[in-house]
Amino acid sequence: MRRDMVTALLSQFGRSVTEHESESYHLITFLLEWNDFFFIVHFGMGEHFPDKGLTVKFQSVYHEDSNSDSPYEVEVDNFPYSPRWTATEVAERAKNFIDENVPQFQKDSVKYGIM
């Protein structure tokens, strides 16, 4: 199922993949752009995937966390998921979710992150 999920995400976001774990298929990362704002999205598939769903993390390419030297990032806790959905449906919903949530992430990274 992880491999199907990676394949579906690659078909949805394709050319913007920056890395993916090709043995156990636990992680895939994309560099995306929205209105000239570039950001990274990490999709993780833990040991209990597909029952538990994906972990999703937005990461700024511009800002650091104000408390550390690491990039500003936010792990999403409201990503829509059902184990009954096909991998293609999850990938389509992931695209819609990102489109809906990146404007707020951009604002937050500017407000809470440091350059």
Side-chain angles (χ1 to χ4, degrees):
M1 182 63 182
R2 284 188 192 97
R3 186 177 188 168
D4 293 340
M5 190 71 252
V6 166
T7 300
L9 290 167
L10 282 168
S11 71
Q12 188 66 242
F13 300 106
R15 292 181 271 170
S16 60
V17 66
T18 59
E19 69 176 319
H20 72 88
E21 204 284 296
S22 62
E23 290 183 18
S24 63
Y25 299 95
H26 279 90
L27 176 70
I28 186 164
T29 302
F30 297 95
L31 174 64
L32 303 175
E33 179 268 337
W34 175 81
N35 288 347
D36 294 326
F37 173 72
F38 289 86
F39 60 101
I40 296 169
V41 177
H42 304 274
F43 293 98
M45 289 153 274
E47 292 299 318
H48 300 288
F49 182 83
D51 295 330
K52 286 267 189 168
L54 300 169
T55 59
V56 181
K57 187 184 301 184
F58 288 88
Q59 182 178 347
S60 174
V61 300
Y62 306 104
H63 302 93
E64 292 182 346
D65 188 301
S66 60
N67 297 320
S68 69
D69 288 337
S70 60
Y72 179 81
E73 59 187 27
V74 173
E75 189 162 335
V76 176
D77 59 2
N78 61 339
F79 182 75
Y81 179 78
S82 170
R84 293 182 300 272
W85 296 340
T86 65
T88 301
E89 186 174 358
V90 173
E92 290 169 355
R93 288 175 183 256
K95 170 84 169 74
N96 292 335
F97 181 84
I98 290 168
D99 290 345
E100 292 169 4
N101 287 276
V102 73
Q104 187 61 50
F105 174 72
Q106 180 187 26
K107 289 176 190 172
D108 291 346
S109 68
V110 169
K111 183 175 180 179
Y112 300 116
I114 56 174
M115 292 193 80

